[in-house]
């Protein structure tokens, strides 16, 4: 594992960077987009994620909404990590991410910058924030699969 | 092993009043220490509101609240999102009747029984009044037993709602809900069951029974007051309108009057819930499940059989439901008004209920305006029944007046 | 003499967690030992149902239940029969809105505010949807303050209901209910007041205010969960239909669908009430009255003035209601999302709430989607405010992330 | 005071007699009857009392309903005691009766047989039974007065 990703100062900077300059923010219009809206009462976050999946590959992910640092940053990281991955690859990454947020073992390598979220599981009330965007994307992936069958 | 002496140690009311015989368990029940401790813990260590996790106590309480829903779902064998917390069976049954306001119209029929508790009949009277649907009654014999054959004949495409108690609070029979459901399923009709007197006493599996909605109260099953449950099949809940609107039940609303409700079951739980009630109910359900619903029912059946056999030996007693399936016994002492019997027994430290027990159409069945009701629960004993029978054997119109002299 | 140190000794949550700062009193409040003891006493010494006197405990509990109504009537300065026990403010407000279903029609207007809590706006949205009456909003400035002159202009004979909070749970102003009532009285219109945030904190005299209905919750005023009150003028209650039907609310019913309701207030209290809740609320009200509502309000105003003056000194804080009348303060830390502020404060053992606080139209006023809310009560101290200010002064987007490292 | 009315056995007989053979039981029809229906949730009793009051004198009292020993007997006694009394006399009797049921001082002489109810106040949950018929009559008397004004 990249040693830099063990340094709290760097991890904090990564979160701040994604929060201040979220990647793939802003929704687009078009029939090709599959969209999931996540709003939970137990946090204020209200996030919409949209994606284009073609031939088993995630071509595009965008998101928008009102959210805290952790939701915004984690969703932004998710978009960067999963774009251009195959569904199979994406599912492995998602599994590892959810394991990390669950306080379980995970492969730090493949989560790349998203390991910045590794301590969130200790703040039980914020786990939802760190997973809201990921859950939206998971739903889109699962729906795309069930349609393919 | 079911050991009533151990069970009695779990209840502060019994520990503090070992000689007081409490036979009014259909009205409300005693609560064990573990339930009191759950409430106490909420007051002393984690008072907070739910549904938000802004700080630790709020998060902890929200998680336990959630967990309570899981426990109730396990108790009923249903999905977590099919468990709606209400303020009690009455509230649950009114929420269920909301279905009638939405989907019933003139010409439709609501089929129910003459032994219903007010809480499961008045909401439907109201539906009838406002929609024009009519109320009809399932045939019952003079002990309140339902005749399935004639029920089958009463069913037709006009019947849109069948609603009845799982166990009547006056007559104590277990109605054949599963068989009724099978008949109802042949029609475009829903089955609503008032479980206020069954959930505390017998194993209830809503999937196996195949009911559409099922209601009960915590306070009749060792839990706190002011909390109850409405189970609803998710298909039904998804098309049911909330009875109460407010905070916590909506995801969004805008000044032009648009409301986006939350998913089921939260959409039915507007306002700050009875959190201490939910945490207490969770403990009560765990307590009952630990002992085992079948063990509880077995104990009650033994008590009931014993009480009935002893009552039959008394010349001065009229028994209205000798074939009762549960620990609910309705009787009168000849020549003594029910309330006088109640007062007499009270003076012997025996708590029973007299009157119509909120089931004011029962006189149509048993031909008696009011009765004395003894209703038992897991902590009652054979010795208590002996004392009760002894007291009754000496009761007549003259001794009933003893308490005034 | 009001002595906050003595008061703190009355609350188990404070005794057990003296360093935990609880500033979420608008959501729910701590409960004093005396309330817990009332509940405990019910569990340990007199568990029984009410409304019947068949045996001693039932009679005792019924009498205390009755007495609780007297205590609440004294608290509000009204008649005993004008006090309806409900499961909480949300239930009370839905019961009040029943008036709308009965008496409003297309063309009528319901006048309310943009700062209402969901529980006082969604029931009226529902009335509007089903009757065709329209909702209009009373003019407020960006702190939520009502302009009486423009309110006067908005009133006309089409307005049949004026409904608003006595104190907003986000913006903390005391609305001029008495003045509003004087204007409303010139029309054939009723005034419904959501007292969830006023009854716990200031003296409320419903006669003096001249309101038609007034709602509040026990859990926000040191009492148990799952219990609340709807005050209604007897003329209004007498023509209001119950929201919930069932046992205890009727005197008679017959199989042909006739119901004879009991008198007010019992006709609104179908089902077994939250008895332990009522007994606990009684104690809570007595506790607050003993201390004195004016003393409580004075203490909170001093805390609020102090907190506001300190917040104004912080460059990194935006304050939304500097002119608040009560201990409810809405703010944000610049550049920090409200929920991040909440978590940061939680890690400093300070409980606040972030979000829209169930008042989802407030953004229309303050132009901010969500806020941090600190809300105080009789047991909060100046030292707690100092610790709160100290924590806030170090809060920024970077330190907000400390909790994750 | 009549010594017989201190003997519990006799008092008990009086109650039983009024319960088994209630006086003035059965309602009549006619415009001249003023009627009050009493039904309380806290007991099962459901009693209707009717009366004719003319020129300040109680000419007639009847009652009917479903009720316990105490309600039936006390109401029956009430009818016997108050018929042919003036309103002023009746009010004095009623005041004394309610005092007795309240555990307060009362004039046993004028209550006659109704002193059989003297211990009911010790059974708090039965006070309602012993006063339900009396309260109905009190209401009729008060209404007749307010109409005369
Ligand atoms: C102003 C206001 N109204 C109504 C309510 C609803 O109260 P409850 O949730 O206790 O029913 C609240 C509290 O949440 C409130 O602050
Ligand atoms: C059969 C039955 N249904 C409904 C109810 C109403 O329950 P609750 O009063 O707890 O709302 C009761 C109890 O009184 C009952 O016995």
């Amino acid at each position: 594992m990249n040693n830099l990703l063990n340094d709290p100062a760097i991890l904090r900077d990564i979160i701040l960077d994604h929060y201040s300059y979220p990647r793939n923010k802003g929704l687009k219009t078009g029939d090709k987009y599959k969209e999931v809206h996540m709003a939970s009462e137990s946090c204020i976050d209200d996030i919409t994620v949209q994606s284009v999946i073609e031939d088993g590959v995630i071509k595009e992910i965008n998101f928008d909404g009102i959210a805290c640092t952790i939701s915004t940053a984690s969703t932004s990281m998710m978009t960067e990590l999963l774009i251009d991955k195959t569904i199979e690859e994406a599912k492995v990454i998602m599994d590892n991410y959810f394991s990390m947020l669950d306080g379980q073992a995970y492969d730090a390598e493949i989560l790349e910058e998203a390991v910045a979220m590794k301590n969130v599981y200790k703040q039980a009330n914020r786990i939802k924030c760190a997973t809201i965007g990921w859950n939206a994307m998971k739903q889109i992936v699962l729906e795309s699969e069930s349609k393919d069958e | 092993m079911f050991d009533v002496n151990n069970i009695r140690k779990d209840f502060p009311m019994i520990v503090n009043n070992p000689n007081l015989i409490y036979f009014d368990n259909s009205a409300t029940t005693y609560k064990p220490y573990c339930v009191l401790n759950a409430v106490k813990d909420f007051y002393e260590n984690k008072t907070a509101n739910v549904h938000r996790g802004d700080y630790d106590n709020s998060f902890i309480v929200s998680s336990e609240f959630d967990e309570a829903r899981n426990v109730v779902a396990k108790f009923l064998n249903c999905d977590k999102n099919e468990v709606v917390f209400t303020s009690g069976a009455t509230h649950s049954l009114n929420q269920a009747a909301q279905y009638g306001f939405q989907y019933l119209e003139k010409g439709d029929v609501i089929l129910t029984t003459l032994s219903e508790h007010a809480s499961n009949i008045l909401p439907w009277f109201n539906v009838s009044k406002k929609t024009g649907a009519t109320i009809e009654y399932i045939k019952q014999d003079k002990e309140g037993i339902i005749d399935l054959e004639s029920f089958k004949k009463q069913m037709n495409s006009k019947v849109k709602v069948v609603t009845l108690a799982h166990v009547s609070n006056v007559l104590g029979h277990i109605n054949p809900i599963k068989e009724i459901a099978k008949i109802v399923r042949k029609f475009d009709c829903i089955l609503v069951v008032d479980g206020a007197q069954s959930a505390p006493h017998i194993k209830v599996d809503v999937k196996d029974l195949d009911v559409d909605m099922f209601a009960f109260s915590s306070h009749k099953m060792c839990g706190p007051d002011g909390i109850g449950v409405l189970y609803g099949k998710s298909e039904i809940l998804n098309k049911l309108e909330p009875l109460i609107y407010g905070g916590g039940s909506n995801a969004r609303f805008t000044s032009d009057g648009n409301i986006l409700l939350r998913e089921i079951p939260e959409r039915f739980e507007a306002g700050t819930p009875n959190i201490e009630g939910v945490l207490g109910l969770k403990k009560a359900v765990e307590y009952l499940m630990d002992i085992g619903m079948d063990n509880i029912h077995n104990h009650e059946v033994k008590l009931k059989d014993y009480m009935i056999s002893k009552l039959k030996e008394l010349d001065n007693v009229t028994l209205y439901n000798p074939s009762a399936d549960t620990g609910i016994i309705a009787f009168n002492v000849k020549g003594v008004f029910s309330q006088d019997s109640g007062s007499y027994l009270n003076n012997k430290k025996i708590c029973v209920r007299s009157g119509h027990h909120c089931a004011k159409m029962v006189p149509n069945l048993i031909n008696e305006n009011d009765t004395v009701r003894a209703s038992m629960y897991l902590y009652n004993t054979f010795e208590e029944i002996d004392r009760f029978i002894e007291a009754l054997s000496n009761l007549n119109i003259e001794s009933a007046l003893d308490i005034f002299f």
Side-chain angles (χ1 to χ4, degrees), chain A, chain B:
Chain A
M1 181 178 171
N2 187 332
N3 268 337
L4 287 177
L5 293 183
N6 267 332
D7 180 344
I10 291 186
L11 295 177
R12 181 194 302 255
D13 280 350
I14 293 174
I15 296 178
L16 279 179
D17 184 54
H18 276 275
Y19 178 61
S20 310
Y21 310 102
R23 325 293 197 259
N24 303 301
K25 191 159 183 216
L27 297 177
K28 311 219 168 119
T29 43
D31 276 355
K32 61 177 180 176
Y33 293 101
K34 295 293 159 256
E35 213 169 280
V36 167
H37 175 216
M38 304 288 278
S40 84
E41 266 293 311
S42 68
C43 64
I44 320 154
D45 303 325
D46 182 326
I47 278 189
T48 301
V49 174
Q50 64 176 199
S51 177
V52 180
I53 301 177
E54 274 170 20
D55 304 326
V57 177
I58 298 168
K59 299 286 188 189
E60 200 181 330
I61 311 177
N62 305 302
F63 81 103
D64 210 349
I66 298 166
C68 67
T69 44
I70 298 299
S71 320
T72 305
S74 66
T75 306
S76 167
M77 290 167 185
M78 179 273 291
T79 63
E80 273 206 320
L81 260 173
L82 300 190
I83 287 175
D84 286 339
K85 297 286 190 304
T86 67
I87 283 193
E88 293 318 312
E89 288 164 343
K91 280 163 81 177
V92 173
I93 295 171
M94 289 192 284
D95 283 350
N96 274 281
Y97 185 80
F98 287 118
S99 286
M100 179 174 81
L101 266 293
D102 208 23
Q104 308 293 318
Y106 60 95
D107 180 350
E109 291 294 339
I110 71 167
L111 290 182
E112 300 182 20
E113 285 188 348
V115 294
M117 297 293 162
K118 68 182 175 186
N119 288 321
V120 173
Y121 79 93
K122 291 182 191 162
Q123 305 285 331
N125 60 341
R126 300 301 294 279
I127 293 172
K128 269 200 182 144
C129 309
T131 50
I132 186 169
W134 288 75
N135 272 317
M137 190 59 204
K138 186 175 167 184
Q139 208 171 308
I140 295 176
V141 166
L142 292 180
E143 276 166 20
S144 87
E145 284 191 312
S146 71
K147 237 185 10 232
D148 289 353
E149 279 161 24
Chain B
M1 251 291 294
F2 185 93
D3 179 346
V4 70
N5 290 319
N6 276 336
I7 285 171
R8 289 172 71 81
K9 289 182 197 137
D10 295 335
F11 289 84
M13 279 295 295
I14 296 178
V15 171
N16 294 336
N17 315 276
N19 294 320
L20 184 67
I21 299 178
Y22 186 71
F23 280 167
D24 195 16
N25 291 289
S26 293
T28 200
T29 62
Y30 288 171
K31 294 112 183 46
Y33 286 105
C34 61
V35 168
L36 172 55
N37 288 339
V39 172
K40 238 180 107 185
D41 184 37
F42 177 72
Y43 279 76
E44 295 187 345
N45 302 312
K46 53 187 185 209
T47 306
N49 211 320
V50 289
H51 292 329
R52 295 301 309 277
D54 285 324
Y55 43 90
D56 294 343
N57 280 334
S58 170
F59 184 76
I60 292 169
V61 169
S62 301
S63 306
E64 291 186 13
F65 189 91
D66 248 36
E67 185 49 30
R69 211 188 293 277
N70 280 326
V71 168
V72 172
K74 205 173 139 202
F75 180 67
L76 296 174
N77 186 31
C78 67
D79 268 15
K80 193 186 162 178
N81 68 358
E82 296 175 318
V83 174
V84 177
F85 288 122
T86 67
S87 66
T90 300
H91 176 183
S92 300
L93 292 164
N94 278 269
Q95 174 65 68
Q98 191 64 34
Y99 181 93
F101 293 112
Q102 288 173 258
Y103 300 108
L104 265 57
E105 54 184 37
K106 204 171 154 67
D108 290 338
V109 172
I110 300 158
L111 203 50
T112 183
T113 84
L114 284 169
S115 48
E116 294 311 303
H117 187 278
S119 295
N120 193 38
I121 192 75
L122 301 192
W124 295 105
F125 279 4
N126 195 24
V127 167
S128 164
K129 192 173 130 197
K130 286 179 187 156
T131 64
T134 53
I135 308 263
E136 294 180 7
Y137 298 95
I138 299 173
K139 286 222 177 63
Q140 290 169 282
D141 74 7
K142 68 182 190 340
E143 277 194 60
I145 296 175
I146 288 174
D147 175 11
L148 275 178
E149 282 313 307
S150 55
F151 171 67
K152 229 180 245 170
K153 284 181 205 132
Q154 283 179 283
M155 277 303 295
N156 61 55
S157 64
K158 287 281 170 211
V159 181
K160 291 290 158 43
V161 175
V162 172
T163 180
L164 78 168
H166 197 171
V167 171
S168 146
N169 66 313
V170 187
L171 299 167
H173 299 98
I174 302 176
N175 281 323
I177 299 299
K178 197 171 168 175
E179 290 68 29
I180 288 175
K182 281 195 190 121
I183 299 166
V184 168
R185 286 296 154 251
K186 300 193 181 119
F187 298 86
D188 177 22
C189 174
I190 65 162
L191 174 60
V192 178
V193 173
D194 172 0
Q197 299 296 345
S198 65
H201 301 280
I202 59 176
K203 173 92 199 87
V204 171
D205 179 330
V206 291
K207 285 263 149 59
D208 180 58
L209 292 175
D210 193 18
V211 298
D212 292 295
M213 292 191 264
F214 184 91
F216 60 94
S217 279
S218 153
H219 72 94
K220 292 189 200 283
M221 53 190 286
C222 299
D225 286 345
I227 183 77
V229 168
L230 175 65
Y231 156 81
K233 280 189 182 165
S234 59
E235 310 90 87
I236 299 287
L237 291 186
N238 272 315
K239 57 185 211 175
L240 192 65
E241 201 194 308
L243 185 64
I244 292 183
Y245 285 84
S249 69
N250 67 92
R252 302 267 166 276
F253 62 87
T254 52
S255 57
D256 55 5
N258 279 315
I259 309 174
L260 173 65
L261 288 177
R262 291 183 70 188
E263 296 297 312
I264 64 166
E266 280 86 2
R267 66 169 58 166
F268 300 104
E269 298 174 354
T272 301
N274 184 350
I275 303 167
E276 65 192 65
V278 167
L279 303 188
L281 170 59
K282 169 172 176 282
K283 267 286 162 235
V285 168
E286 287 170 342
Y287 178 78
L288 295 177
M289 285 171 82
D290 265 2
I291 295 173
M293 295 309 297
D294 288 339
N295 293 329
I296 292 170
H297 180 55
N298 279 344
H299 177 67
E300 290 175 27
V301 166
K302 281 185 208 146
L303 291 174
K304 179 258 312 178
D305 287 344
Y306 185 66
M307 186 183 277
I308 287 179
S309 71
K310 290 286 169 183
L311 283 174
K312 281 181 170 166
E313 290 169 12
L314 295 182
D315 289 338
N316 61 337
V317 166
T318 308
L319 186 61
Y320 299 102
N321 60 343
S323 66
D325 299 315
T326 66
I328 296 175
I329 313 289
F331 65 95
N332 266 322
V333 174
K334 287 169 189 159
V336 183
F337 194 71
S338 64
Q339 194 177 14
D340 290 314
S341 301
S343 279
Y344 169 88
L345 291 169
N346 175 45
N347 266 50
K348 309 273 181 212
K349 287 181 119 348
I350 301 170
C351 307
V352 298
R353 178 66 64 111
S354 61
H356 36 58
H357 318 293
C358 290
K360 296 178 188 177
M361 303 183 302
V362 163
N364 296 326
L365 294 170
I366 65 172
N367 231 325
E368 183 59 63
N369 186 66
D370 57 274
T371 59
V372 184
R373 180 184 69 185
S375 52
M376 296 176 283
Y377 207 13
L378 72 165
Y379 36 66
N380 290 122
T381 66
F382 294 91
E383 294 72 34
E384 289 180 324
I385 295 177
D386 288 336
R387 260 183 60 203
F388 167 74
I389 295 291
E390 167 73 20
L392 277 186
S393 69
N394 296 316
L395 175 52
N396 55 43
I397 178 68
E398 304 227 340
S399 63
L401 291 178
D402 283 352
I403 60 170
F404 300 109
F405 294 99

